[in-house]
């Protein structure tokens, strides 16, 4: 399981986490969930504008999760503090699941490794 804490538009961590996930999956490791927490929940805001010379991390994570069949989770509380709520689909990308820390905690019990960025 991967846990990502930093915003998608201003952190080396989001780049590193994506490259790490791609490398793991290419080596036949399994990722069942990626949990975006704190400022990283902004990745699910489909209204963030990326200029042509910037990487659109929303698109990259969604594509990777679809190709390798893993879930993208957002901490519901952290997301709502940043204006991303389930009832407002103008902001929330539908490829993400709003969930709580209880889902993350349960997932921690089922995996052999957790890497946090």
């Amino acid at each position: 399981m991967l846990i990502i804490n930093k915003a998608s538009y201003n952190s080396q961590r989001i780049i590193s986490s994506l490259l790490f996930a791609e490398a793991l999956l290419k080596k036949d490791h399994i990722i069942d969930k990626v949990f975006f927490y704190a400022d990283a929940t902004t990745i699910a805001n489909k209204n963030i504008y990326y200029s042509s010379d910037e990487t659109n991390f929303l698109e990259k994570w969604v594509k990777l999760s679809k190709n390798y069949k893993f879930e993208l989770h957002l901490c519901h509380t952290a997301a709502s503090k940043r204006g991303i709520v389930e009832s407002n689909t103008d902001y929330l990308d539908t490829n993400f699941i709003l969930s709580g820390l209880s889902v993350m905690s349960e997932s921690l019990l089922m995996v052999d490794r957790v890497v946090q960025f």
Side-chain angles (χ1 to χ4, degrees):
M1 183 168 133
L2 297 179
I3 301 171
I4 304 170
N5 294 318
K6 293 294 179 184
S8 62
Y9 48 84
N10 67 354
S11 173
Q12 178 63 39
R13 288 184 191 185
I14 197 73
I15 298 166
S16 298
S17 63
L18 183 64
L19 293 173
F20 182 77
E22 288 173 338
L24 282 178
L25 295 164
K26 286 179 183 175
K27 294 286 186 179
D28 295 326
H29 291 276
I30 297 169
I31 297 174
D32 65 334
K33 287 181 183 70
V34 176
F35 194 84
F36 295 88
Y37 183 65
D39 285 340
T41 58
T42 59
I43 195 166
N45 182 343
K46 63 185 179 183
N47 291 324
I48 292 177
Y49 173 76
Y50 294 94
S51 62
S52 61
D53 63 337
E54 293 178 312
T55 302
N56 184 326
F57 290 105
L58 170 60
E59 287 180 2
K60 295 273 190 184
W61 275 108
V62 168
K63 183 178 177 182
L64 193 65
S65 74
K66 286 183 177 184
N67 287 345
Y68 289 96
K69 313 275 189 271
F70 63 84
E71 297 175 342
L72 300 170
H73 285 258
L74 296 178
C75 174
H76 186 274
T77 303
S80 65
K81 287 181 181 179
R82 289 154 181 87
I84 302 168
V85 293
E86 193 170 21
S87 62
N88 190 347
T89 56
D90 291 338
Y91 292 99
L92 176 63
D93 184 276
T94 58
N95 294 289
F96 289 80
I97 301 165
L98 285 171
S99 58
L101 292 178
S102 60
V103 171
M104 184 180 78
S105 299
E106 289 172 10
S107 297
L108 292 173
L109 297 172
M110 307 304 252
V111 298
D112 60 348
R113 287 186 181 85
V114 177
V115 179
Q116 184 172 343
F117 289 90

